[in-house]
């Protein structure tokens, strides 16, 4: 097995366990855990939201640590934090223990999410990391397909406590050894001014437009991905879907994501980061337009298109910043870029649910508008990219003439 394949498998399997034991856990266990603790499901989801916020706030520090020390020195601590948090969750008897457990899971998530995996890949492969990043997202695409039925089966047969502890053991027995097997890298000096916040201060608060464009674009997409994925069966029902159609849609969503991620692996210059980004961002708004034109008959195509957009989203989170900023300080910069997206993603399911209850057409109209705005920002980024390429070609030509 090549080094690239080995790291892809290690990080990819880790992503399956990370997502299955954190983001996808509440869909199956929120109700039984809430009933067991005597709290409302809403209180459970506030604790879950807190973990997402913690993960987002810690992102820049974790990214900087990976930039300096490599993933081998950081990711194992994420597995340990996950084990501690899930173990505490499995024995929780009150709301305080629940909150503390999700705080620990949030700390683990900051070291075990996509951005940490991407930063680890970039630390090894630099500007040639896109294929590894794509491979990681293909593995992660199977997380819901594996974790939802498995967690549901465990909950029904041995109870939610043992189901949660099973995932804790997965981190200890599988994820931790995989992370410990990542090759070591030599420590690097990372200038303290590489962080966008410090850079802004150093430049007398002149904002870096490129960073702001990325942060807002990914935040808009983060709202769409997190809110629609989390509320999809309920949303489809409010749009007129029968229970059978809603079930079929839920079955189609996962394969649509995986298929989209496999397409990223097409070699050559066909699936460039900018083209993948355009397809990813355009998919959801096109699906909404189909609903407006064809009504309930377009719900399945809508889910397929939404799944394609969701499936490609993680790849562009890693590949676009790499294309524009390069490898230096990738992890820390990525943490800052994605911080707003993670905060928006944490709050978006509740916000979209309220909108759907008020007026479902207004709700999908909002996600459509966000998608169109994100596409506009991508077009802006594309113009910047073309100007940069032209300037680089002109400089190269001038250098050749001087030579």
């Amino acid at each position: 097995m090549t080094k690239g394949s080995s790291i892809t498998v290690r990080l990819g399997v880790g992503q399956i366990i990370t997502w299955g034991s954190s983001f996808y856990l509440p869909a199956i266990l929120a109700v039984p855990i809430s009933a067991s603790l005597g709290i409302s499901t809403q209180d459970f989801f506030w604790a879950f939201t807190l973990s997402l916020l913690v993960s987002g706030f810690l992102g820049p520090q974790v990214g900087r640590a990976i930039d300096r020390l490599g993933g081998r020195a950081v990711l194992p601590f994420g597995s340990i934090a996950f084990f501690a948090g899930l173990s505490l969750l499995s024995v929780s008897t009150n709301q305080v223990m629940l909150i503390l457990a999700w705080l620990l899971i949030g700390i683990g998530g900051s070291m075990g999410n996509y951005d940490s995996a991407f930063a680890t890949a970039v630390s090894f492969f630099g500007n040639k990391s896109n294929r590894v990043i794509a491979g990681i997202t293909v593995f992660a695409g199977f997380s819901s397909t594996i974790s939802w039925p498995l967690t549901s089966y465990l909950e029904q047969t041995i109870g939610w406590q043992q189901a949660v502890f099973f995932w804790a053991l997965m981190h200890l027995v599988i994820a931790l050894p995989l992370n410990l097997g990542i090759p070591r890298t030599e420590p690097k000096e990372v200038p303290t001014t590489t962080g966008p916040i410090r850079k802004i201060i150093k430049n007398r608060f002149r904002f870096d437009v490129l960073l702001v464009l990325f942060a807002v674009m990914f935040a808009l997409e983060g709202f769409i991905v997190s809110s629609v994925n989390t509320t999809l069966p309920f949303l489809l029902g409010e749009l007129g879907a029968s229970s059978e159609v809603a079930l079929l849609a839920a079955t189609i969503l996962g394969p649509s994501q995986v298929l989209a991620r496999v397409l990223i692996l097409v070699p050559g210059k066909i699936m460039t980061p900018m083209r993948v980004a355009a397809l990813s961002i355009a998919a959801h708004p096109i699906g909404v337009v189909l609903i407006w034109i064809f009504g309930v008959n377009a719900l399945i195509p809508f889910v397929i298109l939404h799944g394609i957009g969701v499936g490609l989203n993680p790849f562009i989170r890693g590949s676009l910043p790499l294309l524009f900023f390069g490898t230096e300080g990738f992890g820390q910069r990525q943490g800052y870029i994605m911080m707003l997206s993670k905060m928006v993603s944490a709050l978006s399911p509740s916000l979209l649910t309220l909108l759907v209850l008020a007026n479902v057409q207004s709700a999908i109209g909002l996600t459509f508008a966000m998608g169109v705005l994100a596409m506009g920002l991508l077009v802006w980024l594309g113009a910047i990219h073309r100007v940069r390429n032209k300037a680089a070609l002109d400089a190269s030509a001038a250098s050749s003439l001087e030579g």
Side-chain angles (χ1 to χ4, degrees), residues 67-78:
D67 289 338
R68 290 181 59 244
L69 306 172
R72 167 64 175 77
V74 178
L75 269 58
F77 290 101

Side-chain angles (χ1 to χ4, degrees), residues 151-221:
T151 303
S152 179
Y153 172 78
L154 292 172
E155 190 272 327
Q156 292 173 15
T157 54
I158 57 178
W160 70 263
Q161 293 92 341
Q162 287 73 23
V164 172
F165 190 65
F166 165 83
W167 285 111
L169 288 178
M170 290 299 97
H171 281 283
L172 187 66
V173 176
I174 297 178
L176 180 59
L178 286 174
N179 288 331
L180 289 172
I182 296 172
R184 295 181 183 274
T185 57
E186 291 296 322
K188 302 174 184 175
E189 288 296 325
V190 179
T192 57
T193 55
T194 56
I197 303 302
R198 292 187 178 91
K199 184 177 179 181
I200 288 169
I201 295 172
K202 184 181 179 182
N203 292 337
R204 299 180 182 179
F205 295 90
R206 293 196 301 271
F207 283 88
D208 187 327
V209 174
L210 206 53
L211 286 168
V212 174
L213 287 177
F214 271 109
V216 174
M217 184 180 73
F218 286 139
L220 292 169
E221 285 298 291

Side-chain angles (χ1 to χ4, degrees), residues 251-276:
T251 305
I252 290 173
L253 181 63
S256 298
Q257 295 180 50
V258 174
L259 176 61
R261 291 173 183 179
V262 171
L263 290 177
I264 304 171
L265 298 174
V266 173
K269 299 181 179 180
I270 299 174
M271 301 297 284
T272 64
M274 290 299 293
R275 288 174 180 170
V276 172

Side-chain angles (χ1 to χ4, degrees), residues 370-382:
M370 287 183 164
V372 171
L373 181 54
M375 179 59 72
L377 294 176
L378 180 67
V379 171
W380 190 353
L381 287 171

